[in-house]
Amino acid sequence: MERKLLMLAAAGMTACLSAPNVLAQFVPSMESLSDLYPGKAYSPYAQRTFPSRVFWGDTHLHTGLSMDAGLFGARLGLEEAYRFARGEEVIASSGQPAKLGRPLDWLVIADHSDGMGFFNDLEAGKPGIIKFEQAKRWYDGLQQGGEASAAAALDLIGTFSQGKINPEMMAEYSPGGRTYKTIWEEVVAAAESYNDSGSFTTLIGFEWTSLVAGGNLHRNVILRDGGAKAGQVVPFTTQAPIGSTDPLDLYKWLENYESRTGGTALA
């Protein structure tokens, strides 16, 4: 009996070993399999072409560092933005508690490159700003609140979009200014601090917006690198003499960034 079982086992092993030679001549197709399984493919992943792991984020988030966002009530900063995006509860600019139903997987804080941080110091009444007639007018309107505040906000945006903003006043909030450089360093440092590999990804970026006669042309710029490379530059702006309203000049800046740092950029 044992001898017969051993012979049967050996025969079965021989059949298994020879099976690949037979199967290699069989090329499966939808037609050849239709009789074997009349329903849908038994494997749920067969013929699947859509992404099965989707990561949700935002490429265009402003904080109070952006003039337009600040003027219309967004007073929170980098820290609050990252904490909110990754699922923490924060107190909104309105004073109400706020929390996302589902945390984001990644975030780009893309504040305006032009005048980054200007509104914060304007609202605070910084002497170096309100000594200028334009800023004093806007500051007084903001302090009054209500319609006066809204009028000041619209006047500021209109003045900027028409290219009539005082360049001397904006010098510290433009490339070459120490204040501007410091603000960008804070942007980069915050992104680095909140980047948590595999859990929450921060991407360093900014918004370049050409305003020619009030017509908006937006480009969200994402520097696809860490702070070591992104920190070697400051954002490209539209204000003369360094900036430009021509998107082709922005692309030259991006090419220069890549050649200078060895990094990559996306606009």
Side-chain angles (χ1 to χ4, degrees):
M1 184 64 178
E2 292 181 358
R3 180 180 178 83
K4 288 182 178 180
L5 289 174
L6 289 171
M7 290 175 66
L8 288 171
M13 187 175 294
T14 302
C16 289
L17 292 172
S18 63
N21 295 326
V22 177
L23 294 175
Q25 300 174 22
F26 175 70
V27 180
S29 65
M30 293 299 293
E31 292 76 16
S32 65
L33 295 174
S34 61
D35 294 335
L36 300 176
Y37 183 69
K40 296 180 180 180
Y42 81 94
S43 172
Y45 298 98
Q47 301 179 7
R48 179 178 287 188
T49 58
F50 56 85
S52 58
R53 293 190 69 195
V54 181
F55 299 101
W56 301 95
D58 190 342
T59 61
H60 192 173
L61 184 101
H62 286 345
T63 71
L65 290 173
S66 292
M67 278 193 286
D68 55 354
L71 285 167
F72 292 107
R75 305 298 170 86
L76 302 186
L78 303 164
E79 298 273 341
E80 292 91 348
Y82 283 129
R83 288 177 47 230
F84 180 72
R86 70 180 186 181
E88 295 181 33
E89 182 176 303
V90 302
I91 300 300
S93 299
S94 62
Q96 300 167 299
K99 184 177 181 179
L100 288 175
R102 179 201 184 282
L104 298 183
D105 299 303
W106 53 271
L107 177 66
V108 184
I109 291 183
D111 279 308
H112 284 278
S113 58
D114 282 294
M116 190 181 290
F118 172 78
F119 172 77
N120 304 82
D121 289 345
L122 172 66
E123 182 196 23
K126 189 173 180 179
I129 292 180
I130 61 173
K131 69 179 182 180
F132 295 96
E133 184 276 329
Q134 287 181 336
K136 184 63 166 61
R137 182 173 75 244
W138 299 327
Y139 173 76
D140 290 341
L142 292 172
Q143 294 305 302
Q144 292 179 48
E147 292 184 5
S149 180
L154 293 174
D155 184 37
L156 195 165
I157 293 173
T159 301
F160 180 83
S161 65
Q162 295 164 18
K164 296 179 180 179
I165 201 161
N166 189 324
E168 184 182 355
M169 178 180 65
M170 296 301 295
E172 271 297 300
Y173 303 89
S174 303
R178 179 179 298 179
T179 301
Y180 193 77
K181 184 176 185 297
T182 300
I183 291 170
W184 179 244
E185 288 173 349
E186 292 172 354
V187 170
V188 171
E192 291 286 88
S193 175
Y194 280 88
N195 187 62
D196 185 6
S197 181
S199 178
F200 178 70
T201 300
T202 61
L203 300 169
I204 302 169
F206 61 89
E207 179 188 332
W208 175 91
T209 296
S210 175
L211 281 170
V212 180
N216 285 356
L217 179 63
H218 297 266
R219 291 290 185 275
N220 287 318
V221 175
I222 302 172
L223 305 180
R224 301 168 66 175
D225 307 291
K229 292 180 179 179
Q232 295 180 38
V233 299
V234 292
F236 189 65
T237 61
T238 64
Q239 298 296 294
I242 298 175
S244 169
T245 58
D246 188 341
L248 296 181
D249 290 330
L250 171 66
Y251 302 150
K252 290 178 183 177
W253 183 92
L254 294 172
E255 290 174 349
N256 181 63
Y257 167 79
E258 293 187 342
S259 62
R260 174 180 171 179
T261 67
T264 55
L266 172 68

